[in-house]
Amino acid sequence: MNTHIRHDLDLLHTSLLTGKLPRNLSWADTVDLIGQIGDVKPHGSDEFVFTVGAQRAFFKHPHTHELGVEEVARLRKFLRDAGPALSPVEATQPCRMVVVIDHHAAHVYQDLNGKVPEAEETVRPYDPFGFHHHLIHKKEAHYKGERVPEEKSFYEEVAKDLLPANEIVLIGHGTGKSSAVDHLVEYLKENHHDISRHVIAIETADLSALTPPEIEAIAKRHMITVV
């Protein structure tokens, strides 16, 4: 990588390789990043050739000026194929996520690999999944009462958060047509097969009384423990 890469682009590159994918990735930032670590050349009216190391791929300028969720995922694969290679520890470290979803909202939690964040100064109980402090996303549904959210954007926002995950546990309330978690499962199968294949468990629970330790207990029953 270019040793003089801008700090913000360096952070973006690291996030694309190993962390949570950015929710809103602009085309301008993408081109700036590839231009600093590789090469960008126009190819036709709206297509560009990205070259990083020995890897070469074609990306189209998006109509909205932001990359769609599938293109962000493809960009991550392109950058990972280009390197630098991850260390053995990083390569085997799973990114684990839990979604707690009902008619009103979706809460997405990410495992922090058992490490307490550097900024966390308060002494708290051991929390390997980070559930006590690290709600990475809460998406409110635009519906009231017991109606399942039907708006595709609701489930698409959840899907964006799940892009980095290779182990996913879904927790919902109820089953069938009235279940938001069942709707999410179907949405992922139909629109994001690469994400849906990482769903390792689906559980039902009384979400009104579900506590962070109970969420963690459900996750531990299904997820690989990293020492």
Side-chain angles (χ1 to χ4, degrees):
M1 179 187 295
N2 185 342
T3 57
H4 301 292
I5 185 171
R6 271 176 20 212
H7 179 64
D8 61 323
L9 295 180
D10 191 24
L11 292 176
L12 174 60
H13 185 249
T14 300
S15 176
L16 285 166
L17 285 175
T18 62
K20 179 180 179 295
L21 289 180
R23 294 171 52 75
N24 299 300
L25 179 55
S26 73
W27 174 253
D29 285 345
T30 303
V31 171
D32 284 348
L33 171 62
I34 301 302
Q36 289 216 9
I37 65 176
D39 184 58
V40 177
K41 290 183 178 179
H43 182 268
S45 60
D46 63 348
E47 195 171 43
F48 291 79
V49 181
F50 289 1
T51 305
V52 177
Q55 297 299 315
R56 186 169 177 263
F58 294 88
F59 284 82
K60 285 190 175 182
H61 189 300
H63 297 299
T64 61
H65 302 291
E66 290 186 351
L67 270 68
V69 60
E70 296 295 342
E71 286 296 274
V72 175
R74 193 164 75 90
L75 180 64
R76 162 171 276 185
K77 184 179 185 306
F78 168 72
L79 290 173
R80 283 181 170 176
D81 289 344
L86 297 176
S87 69
V89 172
E90 291 173 320
T92 58
Q93 193 82 332
C95 176
R96 305 174 290 192
M97 290 188 177
V98 175
V99 180
V100 181
I101 184 171
D102 63 10
H103 306 87
H104 307 292
H107 300 74
V108 184
Y109 301 87
Q110 181 175 356
D111 170 33
L112 294 179
N113 302 326
K115 299 178 181 178
V116 177
E118 293 180 3
E120 185 62 55
E121 298 177 355
T122 306
V123 177
R124 299 181 185 275
Y126 177 58
D127 178 27
F129 287 90
F131 293 154
H132 296 293
H133 333 291
H134 301 290
L135 175 67
I136 63 170
H137 181 58
K138 177 181 178 181
K139 173 66 177 176
E140 297 286 353
H142 299 299
Y143 296 89
K144 296 181 180 179
E146 296 304 312
R147 187 178 175 190
V148 172
E150 298 169 354
E151 188 179 8
K152 289 186 177 181
S153 63
F154 175 70
Y155 299 104
E156 184 65 17
E157 287 295 316
V158 177
K160 286 181 180 180
D161 283 333
L162 294 176
L163 273 170
N166 47 32
E167 292 181 19
I168 303 168
V169 170
L170 305 179
I171 305 174
H173 179 73
T175 58
K177 292 182 179 179
S178 64
S179 170
V181 73
D182 284 354
H183 276 246
L184 175 60
V185 169
E186 289 305 312
Y187 184 83
L188 293 178
K189 286 180 179 178
E190 292 176 6
N191 299 281
H192 300 288
H193 177 71
D194 286 346
I195 298 175
S196 69
R197 67 189 180 87
H198 292 300
V199 175
I200 61 174
I202 303 167
E203 294 241 0
T204 58
D206 180 3
L207 302 189
S208 65
L210 196 63
T211 65
E214 289 171 334
I215 297 172
E216 183 173 338
I218 291 172
K220 283 182 176 179
R221 288 205 301 270
H222 301 287
M223 292 179 169
I224 299 170
T225 301
V226 178
V227 179

